[in-house]
Structure formats: structure tokens, C-alpha cells
Amino acid sequence: YALTGTPIENRLSELWSIFDYLMPGFLFTYSRFRKQFELPIAKAGDRYALESLRRLSGPFVLRRLKKDVLKDLPDKLETVVYSMAEEEQKQLYTAHALALKEELEQMSGDTYGSERIQVLAELTKLRQICCDPSLCFDRYRGGSAKLDTCMELITGGIAGDHKILLFSQFTSMIEILTARLQEESISCFVLQGSTKKERRAQMVEQFNRDDTSVFCISLKAGGTGLNLTAADVVIHFDPWWNSAVQNQATDRAHRIGQKNVVNVYRILAKGTIEEKIVELQERKLQLSDRIL
């Protein structure tokens, strides 16, 4: 048996690897699987290849959605909230986006392979500029539209007597968010990868029973293994490359023991790479749903 909530997060090779462990050779060698299924389905949308893979894998997959087994779980309402960058932040983003575009256009096929890590680093820089340009530029003294939008959501949530989980993948952004919360005299806990196991458990217990308003959590460090049902508002400050990771983070609140409807807010910088990341999330989610 293989037990997983995310058999396909990013690509079909993840499903192949599970089957290759369970029944070696059932889905052929990876090179044949890639040629016969992965590339035709992912690149060309080949419906025949899709149906063939479903017929092969379907009899061995038992899928249970949360809504099928947790009948009493309250609803989860998801809202995308857009923020518009101010002039200085917008200019910085546009300049870096154009520079990266020119760099990519000058790359040949051979060059791209060796420069892939550098390209990813530049994409990360664009995403950081969307969050707060001070993540990349020490001398930046302008504002952050997303930070302001986030604070509006938090103050509105607290006014409505809600407890909030706030996720970001950038630990440096969590530090900025924490500092802003302290300026506004909003009580919060912070959980990052460096947080010791004992301290994690202590903070979770306190948050679920005291009046601390916000729990700031690093997406990868705290996206699983936490029970935080005292919160019924979840804010994702920045999008991850696939929705499965964000959904796992949301499930810190939307799980057994939750009594209230959970409101999930995803903050996106309008007209930026973040909108493209969400489109990528949707394509990956559709791929998983079509296969399973």
C-alpha cells in the first residue's frame, strides 16, 4: 500500500514513482512512461493517452475526498484578494521583469539548461519584489501594497473576533509581517524552520486556548503536522508553485475539530508573475483531477 494525499503535485512522474515502488514495471520504465503518457498528456493534452493511463492506474487507486468522509466539517470559502503596487514598487518590478525577459530571449537551448538555476533565482526575486521590495533592496524605503492589503484583512478579522493563520514561504517576509503586527500592537506567534519541536507544541497549545490573534507560519516549516482549529481565517501572503502545498497549510485550520466556516484569502499582486503562478497551479490541479 501507498498512502498519500498528493499523488500528483507537479508532474505525472510522481504517480509513476509510486507505482514503480508498488508494482515495478507495471507502468513500464520511466523513459517509456514519459514518451507514451507524460509528454503527450502534459504537453499536447492527448485524450487517448489520458484515458489509457486512467484505465491502467484506476483499478489500483482508492480516492477519498475530505468532503466524502467528514460530513460535519464546516465549509471552506476561498477568496483571491488583489493588491495594486504603488509607483516605486511597480517601477522596480517592471524593470526587473523586462531585464529577465531580455536575458531569456538571448539564451539558446544549450545555454538555458546550464542557466536554469539562475533563471529560477531571478523569478524568486520578482516574487519577492511583489511581496516587499525591501526583501531584495536594503535601501528601499517605499511601501508594499501587499503588506497594506494583508494588514487590512488582519485588522478586519480581529475586529470580527477571528483568529488568523498567516502563511508566507519567505522567512524574511514573516519577519517584516511580525514587525508590522508589533507596531499595530497585535499579538502573534511565529513558527519557522528553526523553531524547536518543544516550542512548536507549546505555541500550538497556547494559540488554541489563549487570546493571541495571529499565528505567522513559514509555509514549508508549518504547512503540515499542526492542529490549529482555534483559527477560522487563513491568509496566504504569497502563492506557492502548486496548490497542494497551500491546501495542506490551510488544513491546519480546516480539519477535524473545526466548528466554524473557514475563510481563506490568497493575496496576489495584480499584473505580476503571481497571477501566472496561480494559472500554473490550476493546470497542475486539473491534471491531477483528470488522472485520478
Side-chain angles (χ1 to χ4, degrees):
Y1 289 87
L3 178 65
T4 174
T6 51
I8 302 173
E9 280 192 37
N10 294 297
R11 54 188 67 86
L12 279 179
S13 58
E14 295 164 346
L15 183 66
W16 176 87
S17 67
I18 295 173
F19 271 92
D20 193 57
Y21 171 77
L22 293 170
M23 299 184 288
F26 178 73
L27 291 182
F28 319 115
T29 63
Y30 176 59
S31 58
R32 180 177 171 185
F33 176 85
R34 187 170 187 269
K35 183 178 180 181
Q36 188 169 333
F37 296 112
E38 187 171 21
L39 292 179
I41 293 171
K43 301 292 184 183
D46 188 320
R47 294 185 63 85
Y48 177 78
L50 175 70
E51 289 301 324
S52 297
L53 180 56
R54 286 183 64 175
R55 283 197 300 270
L56 277 171
S57 61
F60 303 99
V61 177
L62 179 65
R63 190 184 195 194
R64 289 292 179 265
L65 301 176
K66 196 191 308 188
K67 64 184 180 182
D68 297 331
V69 293
L70 299 179
K71 302 293 186 181
D72 297 328
L73 193 65
D75 289 337
K76 176 176 67 174
L77 306 179
E78 302 197 44
T79 306
V80 175
V81 180
Y82 290 98
S83 67
M84 295 292 292
E86 300 298 328
E87 197 58 37
E88 188 176 356
Q89 185 178 11
K90 187 176 180 180
Q91 288 176 356
L92 276 173
Y93 179 87
T94 302
H96 276 76
L98 289 174
L100 178 56
K101 184 179 179 183
E102 290 177 5
E103 186 178 335
L104 289 170
E105 287 172 347
Q106 292 171 6
M107 287 183 184
S108 64
D110 297 333
T111 309
Y112 175 71
S114 60
E115 298 291 341
R116 187 175 296 179
I117 298 299
Q118 182 60 34
V119 170
L120 185 59
E122 291 301 318
L123 289 175
T124 300
K125 185 179 288 186
L126 282 179
R127 293 161 63 210
Q128 289 176 323
I129 293 173
C130 291
C131 292
D132 191 319
S134 64
L135 296 177
C136 303
F137 307 102
D138 294 336
R139 297 182 181 179
Y140 180 77
R141 295 294 179 267
S144 164
K146 288 188 76 172
L147 181 57
D148 293 339
T149 301
C150 183
M151 291 306 301
E152 289 176 12
L153 288 173
I154 290 173
T155 53
I158 293 172
D161 201 27
H162 297 283
K163 302 190 81 166
I164 300 163
L165 305 184
L166 175 57
F167 289 96
S168 174
Q169 64 201 272
F170 301 113
T171 55
S172 48
M173 189 66 228
I174 287 179
E175 291 172 3
I176 293 173
L177 288 163
T178 305
R180 182 68 176 268
L181 290 170
Q182 290 173 345
E183 287 178 14
E184 303 286 339
S185 299
I186 297 173
S187 57
C188 68
F189 287 126
V190 181
L191 191 156
Q192 300 182 9
S194 58
T195 307
K196 295 186 182 298
K197 185 178 178 180
E198 296 77 11
R199 179 57 180 157
R200 286 167 66 106
Q202 183 184 21
M203 287 191 297
V204 168
E205 183 182 351
Q206 285 184 247
F207 184 78
N208 282 329
R209 61 179 170 79
D210 69 13
D211 58 356
T212 304
S213 300
V214 182
F215 208 138
C216 300
I217 305 174
S218 169
L219 184 67
K220 301 298 280 188
T224 56
L226 300 177
N227 189 340
L228 295 166
T229 52
D232 56 5
V233 172
V234 178
I235 299 174
H236 290 283
F237 191 81
D238 38 72
W240 185 244
W241 294 105
N242 65 60
S243 58
V245 172
Q246 287 183 226
N247 289 338
Q248 286 176 332
T250 297
D251 288 347
R252 301 314 94 218
H254 191 243
R255 60 194 295 116
I256 294 173
Q258 180 58 259
K259 305 300 183 186
N260 303 319
V261 171
V262 175
N263 285 280
V264 183
Y265 298 97
R266 302 172 188 265
I267 307 176
L268 299 180
K270 187 74 173 174
T272 70
I273 187 176
E274 292 191 332
E275 291 184 309
K276 300 296 183 183
I277 291 173
V278 171
E279 289 177 12
L280 184 63
Q281 287 180 354
E282 289 298 320
R283 289 201 298 272
K284 291 177 178 179
L285 189 61
Q286 289 169 9
L287 173 65
S288 178
D289 286 342
R290 293 205 311 265
I291 296 297
L292 302 175

